[in-house]
Amino acid sequence: MDHFDRRLDDRLDHRTLSALRAHGSDPRVAFAARALSRAGEHGALWLAVGLAGAAVDGARRGAWLRGTALTAGAHLVSMGVKRVVRRPRPAHVEPLVRTAGRHSFPSSHATSAAAAAVAYSALGARGARVIPPLAAAMCVSRLVVGVHYPSDVAAGVALGALTARIGSRWMTGSAHD
């Protein structure tokens, strides 16, 4: 990719973020985006979902726990990538939430959300159908609150989905239950 293409990508990333962040001026949207962002801090929502699944679905308890471990592992990997890449958070928009760190790429919220969506959906549990739309909302919330570029979120989704997909055989393996 040459310099012109990279600048075009950067401008698109900035413009898309600005457009989505503008939706945060609606108090209802801002409230929902902040709530999702807080719930997703350090993967907390997704770890709680996995542990709750393990508690109520005794037949698949081991698979739920392994899915929870995959989700936590994906989150940890994203934090490591963040420390290597060190991309600063967007400075051209006013954030609606405080962040735990200064680095933006990849979005750890998006990583854990995508890992949970892939892992928990693979279990086929009735309630797991709500996880992918909730994970998508979590990803969009990071743009609405203005703390990530769209490319940060896309990279987080790819990392989380890939991590869960790679571990899916281990997670659902009946020999472990």
Side-chain angles (χ1 to χ4, degrees), residues 20-21 23-41 45-46 96-97 109 133-147:
L20 288 166
R21 171 58 189 85
H23 290 286
S25 62
D26 179 322
R28 296 166 299 181
V29 173
F31 176 81
R34 282 184 181 118
L36 283 167
S37 286
R38 280 192 287 274
E41 197 64 47
L45 173 64
W46 311 114
L96 295 178
V97 295
H109 279 71
L134 184 58
M138 174 80 64
C139 293
V140 172
S141 79
R142 301 307 282 167
L143 302 170
V144 172
V145 298
V147 297

Side-chain angles (χ1 to χ4, degrees), residues 1-12 151:
M1 179 183 292
D2 67 18
H3 181 70
F4 176 76
D5 290 337
R6 208 174 359 262
R7 281 191 13 232
L8 182 62
D9 286 346
D10 287 346
R11 285 195 311 258
L12 183 60
S151 57

Side-chain angles (χ1 to χ4, degrees), residues 32-114:
R34 282 184 181 118
L36 283 167
S37 286
R38 280 192 287 274
E41 197 64 47
H42 302 295
L45 173 64
W46 311 114
L47 300 177
V49 167
L51 294 174
V56 300
D57 188 359
R60 291 180 281 212
R61 178 168 286 121
W64 278 104
L65 292 173
R66 289 188 295 279
T68 304
L70 284 173
T71 300
H75 186 81
L76 290 173
V77 168
S78 74
M79 290 171 50
V81 172
K82 239 180 235 226
R83 285 185 171 85
V84 171
V85 174
R86 304 179 70 81
R87 181 183 194 183
R89 292 199 183 268
H92 70 285
V93 295
E94 182 70 28
L96 295 178
V97 295
R98 290 188 179 166
T99 59
R102 297 184 324 244
H103 301 116
S104 185
F105 183 93
S107 166
S108 294
H109 279 71
T111 301
S112 57

Side-chain angles (χ1 to χ4, degrees), residues 114-154:
V118 170
Y120 303 153
S121 293
L123 296 173
R126 202 171 2 139
R129 288 188 297 244
V130 301
I131 294 171
L134 184 58
M138 174 80 64
C139 293
V140 172
S141 79
R142 301 307 282 167
L143 302 170
V144 172
V145 298
V147 297
H148 284 290
Y149 294 103
S151 57
D152 301 333
V153 172

